[in-house]
Amino acid sequence: AEAEALIAAFRPTMPQGCRPSARTAFLFHGAGTPAPRRDFEKTLDGVDALLTQNKGPFFMGEEFGAVDCAWAPFLERYSVQLPLMHSGLRLRDNPERPHLSAWYDAMEARVPAYSSRVQGSAYSWAAVLATAGFGNAGSAREYRPAEETSFKADTRVWQRYAEGRTGVGSTPREEVAMRMWKNRKGLVADTVQNCNMQVSPELVDEVLRVCLCAMTEGPDLDSSPSESEAFMTGLLAA
């Protein structure tokens, strides 16, 4: 019952009258105008208060659970997007809201599956703010540089996740390369289609092969396709 109440607190806690957009959730009003800073500050204060109920760092206390799953997609976006919309509105490492700050740290340090496989890209969450059509009245806006916000990178978290698992890259970069290699036929087909058939599948495949080899410190860029094929196949089989 307590977990259900914490999940139910989501809608009344978030800024009222804002769109639950997929990528810019609860940032803009129906007309596409950004919610005022005071609304976001009220929301963040409310989340910080909810996290005190069970003494954190997670919503239900010491253990990660369903309530964190319900809140994570939106708080993750907020951690990147709000500092870009309002100068000084930091969610991480902020002594004004220590429980919320601790929640971010706990999610990334104590839930390897989240930070290694689920957590989105800070670059992507920042980029949609300057892209027309994501709730922002249909026109791109100018925000502060995305470099001012980023997710904390800790290779130890990935190592904890990958330990004992088969078919998982030894580093996040290697994992991305492996996934792209497995899906490269679909990636090539989508790229050719999106380029209005103005590039050949062979060229796209070659470019993709070169990029993936560079990501994994594989064969030299001028290596033959058979060499890169053997290398990536070996990674997937490891």
Side-chain angles (χ1 to χ4, degrees):
E2 185 177 8
E4 292 177 352
L6 287 169
I7 294 175
F10 174 81
R11 288 306 292 258
T13 301
M14 299 300 282
Q16 300 303 294
C18 287
R19 294 178 174 180
S21 164
R23 298 191 184 183
T24 55
F26 298 97
L27 295 179
F28 300 98
H29 288 300
T33 57
R37 182 186 183 116
R38 62 178 180 276
D39 288 2
F40 294 126
E41 290 180 334
K42 180 180 178 182
T43 289
L44 300 180
D45 289 341
V47 176
D48 196 73
L50 291 174
L51 285 164
T52 67
Q53 293 185 15
N54 292 298
K55 301 182 180 180
F58 299 107
F59 279 93
M60 291 297 292
E62 282 294 322
E63 299 298 326
F64 167 80
V67 183
D68 304 287
C69 291
W71 280 88
F74 304 94
L75 294 181
E76 175 187 308
R77 290 161 172 76
Y78 266 17
S79 70
V80 176
Q81 294 169 339
L82 290 190
L84 297 175
M85 296 178 69
H86 297 285
S87 179
L89 190 56
R90 293 185 298 110
L91 283 71
R92 299 166 181 266
D93 302 316
N94 189 340
E96 294 181 3
R97 301 180 183 91
H99 306 287
L100 180 56
S101 181
W103 180 84
Y104 283 112
D105 290 341
M107 286 292 291
E108 293 181 339
R110 296 175 54 179
V111 189
Y114 168 72
S115 54
S116 299
R117 301 299 288 271
V118 177
Q119 189 174 26
S121 161
Y123 171 81
S124 296
W125 297 142
V128 294
L129 289 178
T131 304
F134 288 110
N136 53 8
S139 60
R141 299 176 181 271
E142 292 295 329
Y143 293 100
R144 298 193 299 118
E147 289 77 13
E148 296 189 24
T149 64
S150 63
F151 292 138
K152 297 176 181 177
D154 189 341
T155 57
R156 292 172 298 178
V157 173
W158 179 263
Q159 291 168 359
R160 285 171 53 201
Y161 175 81
E163 185 177 1
R165 297 175 184 264
T166 58
V168 175
S170 59
T171 65
R173 179 178 295 182
E174 186 175 288
E175 174 72 4
V176 171
M178 290 167 59
R179 294 281 172 176
M180 292 179 69
W181 182 263
K182 289 177 65 175
N183 297 316
R184 72 184 188 280
K185 290 183 178 180
L187 291 172
V188 169
D190 286 347
T191 301
V192 172
Q193 182 176 0
N194 290 332
C195 290
N196 296 320
M197 312 300 288
Q198 294 182 11
V199 295
S200 69
E202 293 77 15
L203 176 60
V204 176
D205 188 72
E206 175 70 8
V207 171
L208 182 61
R209 180 182 67 82
V210 170
C211 291
L212 297 186
C213 284
M215 288 173 64
T216 55
E217 299 182 359
D220 294 335
L221 298 184
D222 58 355
S223 62
S224 67
S226 61
E227 289 178 298
S228 58
E229 179 89 27
F231 175 77
M232 294 303 299
T233 301
L235 282 182
L236 292 171

